[in-house]
Amino acid sequence: MPSAPVCLRVRWFAAIGLTGALTMSVAACGGMTAGTITIGVKFDQPGLGMKNPDGTMSGFDVDVARYVAQQLGYTAANVVWVEAPSGQREALIRNGQVNYVVATYSITDARKQKVGFAGPYLVAGQSLLVRADQTGITGPQSLQHNKKLCSVAGSTPAQRIKDTYPGVQLQRYDTYSACIEALKNGAIDAVTTDDVILAGYSAQSPGTFKLVGKPFSREEYGIGLKRENLTLRHKIDDAIEKMERDGSWQAAFAKNLGASGYPTPKPPKVNRY
Ligand code: GLU
């Protein structure tokens, strides 16, 4: 793991009693402890990455993250979960606060300048969620007429609206769950992000929301990690391929998203760049 050499150095400094150096080296571990693996996921996206009221973690991303960790030699008990909101993913990776991120994280050229990606392990598409009784919104074009749209800072859907539909009143929140609350109470008229995420929220509140229009982008979800760590990237690619081959991918999708009505997609081909 990327933290291992740094953390080994900690032990060496500790052994010779250099307490000043010890403090510095612990900081260089980025909050990660030897023997555990630290993974960034969403905490508020049902079906994908959820921290449940009892403290347990669930979702398709969580299951992918766990499977990969197991392939890397870590048990479920040795996984440390860190919340990775959309706008903080690159920083969490670059600052060494997580070993990798599995958080509905689209592979893009701009992000590839900053971080590396294994995968993809799932393909989704940008869509719109509205209240069930809404009839005036049928697709991104219909948002131009004084409708308030919510998305999340640092996400590809927010960027795409800004670039392609500059006339739309876009509000950028920190999380999609905050957008969903605002949609429920009428503060905004629609939420945009990937269809699979919207399907997860919709399933959580039956009869309250509906997805509208056709998906208008291709979002290939990757596992984000340090750009220079090619060894880890290749190991994660191997793990994703194994998960897709041995049926665990299909089982995880059915378990987490089967009830959402989102059609089960084909597992994508891992793209080793
Ligand atoms: N897949 C998109 C992205 O990576 C939207 C979902 C998200 O914000 O997590 O930005």
Side-chain angles (χ1 to χ4, degrees):
M1 294 314 306
S3 60
V6 175
C7 294
L8 282 176
R9 223 168 37 233
V10 171
R11 280 195 215 120
W12 184 76
F13 283 128
I16 58 168
L18 293 176
T19 45
L22 171 68
T23 317
M24 272 177 56
S25 296
V26 167
C29 280
M32 296 188 286
T33 319
T36 63
I37 187 153
T38 306
I39 308 176
V41 291
K42 295 296 179 78
F43 276 15
D44 67 329
Q45 293 182 193
L48 288 153
M50 264 308 268
K51 185 167 184 173
N52 302 303
D54 65 0
T56 58
M57 300 295 303
S58 62
F60 182 70
D61 281 353
V62 167
D63 284 346
V64 170
R66 274 197 188 116
Y67 187 98
V68 169
Q70 197 187 24
Q71 294 302 307
L72 296 172
Y74 296 87
T75 62
N78 288 332
V79 174
V80 177
W81 302 104
V82 168
E83 185 170 18
S86 300
Q88 293 177 30
R89 293 172 294 198
E90 286 86 67
L92 284 168
I93 293 168
R94 284 161 65 102
N95 297 340
Q97 288 161 277
V98 293
N99 290 102
Y100 55 86
V101 162
V102 192
T104 57
Y105 197 12
S106 297
I107 303 170
T108 69
D109 288 341
R111 288 175 179 162
K112 272 192 196 167
Q113 305 298 312
K114 297 182 178 169
V115 298
F117 285 102
Y121 64 91
L122 186 68
V123 181
Q126 185 170 353
S127 193
L128 296 173
L129 190 75
V130 297
R131 286 180 294 277
D133 59 0
Q134 171 70 255
T135 50
I137 300 175
T138 49
Q141 277 84 2
S142 54
L143 294 165
Q144 313 271 11
H145 313 295
N146 261 326
K147 295 280 194 281
K148 291 197 195 94
L149 177 66
C150 191
S151 197
V152 164
S155 72
T156 50
Q159 191 60 43
R160 189 167 295 105
I161 293 294
K162 206 175 145 248
D163 295 344
T164 319
Y165 304 97
V168 170
Q169 291 184 47
L170 175 67
Q171 304 197 2
R172 268 171 280 200
Y173 288 16
D174 286 341
T175 59
Y176 295 110
S177 52
C179 285
I180 295 295
E181 272 316 299
L183 180 61
K184 239 182 215 166
N185 69 33
I188 53 124
D189 301 301
V191 179
T192 189
T193 188
D194 307 332
D195 49 6
V196 68
I197 300 174
L198 297 174
Y201 286 117
S202 188
Q204 204 187 30
S205 307
T208 313
F209 305 120
K210 61 181 178 189
L211 272 119
V212 290
K214 286 201 185 79
F216 50 99
S217 77
R218 183 177 165 85
E219 307 292 327
E220 298 194 352
Y221 290 178
I223 297 186
L225 74 163
K226 279 204 169 147
R227 198 167 179 250
E228 60 277 14
N229 200 341
L230 298 185
T231 313
L232 179 61
R233 194 210 291 171
H234 295 145
K235 282 188 188 161
I236 297 180
D237 279 337
D238 291 344
I240 296 170
E241 277 178 350
K242 188 166 179 216
M243 186 178 186
E244 294 185 349
R245 241 189 355 252
D246 72 9
S248 308
W249 189 99
Q250 291 76 1
F253 195 91
K255 179 182 112 195
N256 294 296
L257 290 155
S260 75
Y262 191 82
T264 306
K266 272 213 187 107
K269 190 174 157 21
V270 168
N271 166 21
R272 295 172 188 266
Y273 65 92

